[in-house]
Amino acid sequence: MAGIFLVFAVLFGISMGTVSVPILTIMKIICSNILGIHFSEQVDPMYQSIVMNIRLPRVILSGLVGAALAISGAAFQGLLRNPLADPYTLGVSSGASVGAVLTLFFRFSLPVLGAFTLPVLSILFSFLTIFLVLMFARKIDRSMRVETIILTGIIFSSFLGALISLMIALTGDELREIIGWLLGSVSMRGWEYIKLILPFFIIGAVILIFNSKELNAMSFGEERAQHLGVNVLRRKLIILTAGSILTGAAVAVSGTIGFVGLVIPHLSRLLWGPDHKHLLPLSILSGCGFLILADLVSRTIISPTELPIGVITALIGAPVFALILMQRKRKERSG
């Protein structure tokens, strides 16, 4: 079901826009350019250019960003045993944004990394943020209750957001163009951006999927997981690192896109259950399809003007966030 949803999202994402491209033509272009299967009937060069140079890289990039945020959100929720945890609420996205903004503004380019300087620094800042959030939460509450961690994450997220705004205000026009990027966008990103995120996505996703059994154990509580033979501290560090890799890489190529890591894992859990062996791959597929459709809405709803994709995900995610919060409060009262 999630796979069918993704296929439809990809086809609609490529087909719809200022110029509509027939789905049969899309399939011919993809078959000839990617699979090497050629047809006797020639495809219009205009369609060829639109699909291969504009729509297909945009759809692939938005899909990878959505998948990265969704799987990291599912992992954070399982680890912290709370459906309100995601890269956005934990401050990881904001930390990655600070790293990306600093890299773009000062035009850092580390000799060995080259073009990969942007995602690497975003990942480092996202990991540093989650480390500080956990350290600060431990100072406030020795038992490190989940509510304390999430509240600390929101505080850090607000502070880092204010820091970015301050940098933009102080530097004038040089950073004003980054405001649009910070709201989240995959517009005007080519194949080079896919090359930037893809290796980090593969590394992060593989690490999390290989830790799905441990996530299942830890979702019942850390003490229970230890009794089952899980090295909790080590696994927690590995999962947080993988989530930071995915979030940092996603933010580096698309800016801050909120609520994907909150909404998609929650809906996936409702539809297919809490087993992380299934939840993580299904979150990848659903997150991928969701962000492709969100991007499609952002560029067609008031065409030819484009809305930032983060605006669309926030309009959907904020009410869902409120709904989850109300459901939790109801359960606590009834329990």
Side-chain angles (χ1 to χ4, degrees):
M1 186 175 157
I4 294 165
F5 167 66
L6 176 58
V7 170
F8 275 105
V10 169
L11 290 174
F12 277 115
I14 299 171
S15 174
M16 294 175 73
T18 312
V19 177
S20 292
V21 182
I23 287 174
L24 194 61
T25 304
I26 293 166
M27 294 174 84
K28 281 182 181 177
I29 291 167
I30 291 171
C31 285
S32 62
N33 284 275
I34 295 172
L35 302 177
I37 302 166
H38 296 286
F39 299 89
S40 55
E41 192 181 333
Q42 287 292 316
V43 175
D44 188 329
M46 182 186 73
Y47 287 151
Q48 176 91 8
S49 178
I50 288 169
V51 171
M52 292 308 298
N53 299 329
I54 301 168
R55 301 255 177 97
L56 185 60
R58 182 168 182 157
V59 161
I60 292 172
L61 185 64
S62 58
L64 285 171
V65 169
L69 294 173
I71 189 175
S72 55
F76 287 146
Q77 287 173 14
L79 184 67
L80 300 173
R81 305 185 306 283
N82 193 307
L84 297 176
D86 87 319
Y88 192 72
T89 55
L90 291 173
V92 184
S93 292
S94 299
S97 295
V98 171
V101 168
L102 287 172
T103 307
L104 291 168
F105 177 62
F106 291 110
R107 302 193 186 282
F108 288 134
S109 183
L110 299 174
V112 181
L113 297 172
F116 286 95
T117 303
L118 179 62
V120 166
L121 284 180
S122 288
I123 288 162
L124 285 174
F125 272 81
S126 64
F127 184 72
L128 181 64
T129 304
I130 193 68
F131 175 75
L132 289 171
V133 164
L134 292 171
M135 197 172 73
F136 192 73
R138 191 172 178 81
K139 287 275 184 187
I140 297 168
D141 180 4
R142 294 292 294 175
S143 63
M144 284 183 75
R145 282 177 300 179
V146 175
E147 288 78 6
T148 309
I149 294 170
I150 289 171
L151 283 171
T152 308
I154 291 167
I155 290 164
F156 268 78
S157 186
S158 302
F159 174 75
L160 292 170
L163 194 64
I164 292 167
S165 300
L166 180 63
M167 288 192 320
I168 291 167
L170 290 174
T171 50
D173 294 332
E174 290 175 270
L175 272 182
R176 291 199 190 281
E177 62 189 60
I178 297 175
I179 295 172
W181 176 83
L182 286 171
L183 289 169
S185 175
V186 289
S187 176
M188 305 303 289
R189 313 283 205 268
W191 292 100
E192 64 271 16
Y193 280 84
I194 293 167
K195 291 173 190 172
L196 283 180
I197 188 176
L198 191 58
F200 297 105
F201 172 75
I202 292 167
I203 292 164
V206 167
I207 290 169
L208 289 182
I209 288 167
F210 271 105
N211 282 277
S212 55
K213 276 202 297 188
E214 286 77 8
L215 274 168
N216 280 341
M218 284 192 278
S219 63
F220 292 107
E222 291 183 10
E223 282 184 28
R224 180 94 177 265
Q226 277 179 330
H227 289 310
L228 292 169
V230 176
N231 186 333
V232 172
L233 190 62
R234 187 181 166 204
R235 290 296 167 181
K236 194 186 279 187
L237 191 63
I238 289 169
I239 290 160
L240 288 172
T241 302
S244 298
I245 288 169
L246 288 161
T247 306
V251 169
V253 297
S254 67
T256 308
I257 298 172
F259 297 105
V260 178
L262 175 79
V263 174
I264 299 303
H266 185 70
L267 293 177
S268 300
R269 200 176 284 105
L270 285 174
L271 290 170
W272 295 294
D275 186 349
H276 286 87
K277 284 182 188 175
H278 309 301
L279 180 64
L280 296 181
L282 289 167
S283 291
I284 287 175
L285 297 176
S286 305
C288 190
F290 171 75
L291 207 66
I292 289 168
L293 292 180
D295 178 52
L296 175 62
V297 171
S298 76
R299 61 185 164 87
T300 56
I301 194 166
I302 52 169
S303 182
T305 307
E306 282 194 22
L307 284 171
I309 194 169
V311 171
I312 304 299
T313 57
L315 285 171
I316 297 166
V320 174
F321 185 93
L323 206 65
I324 295 167
L325 198 59
M326 286 195 302
Q327 281 180 342
R328 280 181 65 81
K329 288 294 174 190
R330 273 200 212 105
K331 278 181 186 175
E332 281 172 16
R333 285 194 201 107
S334 61

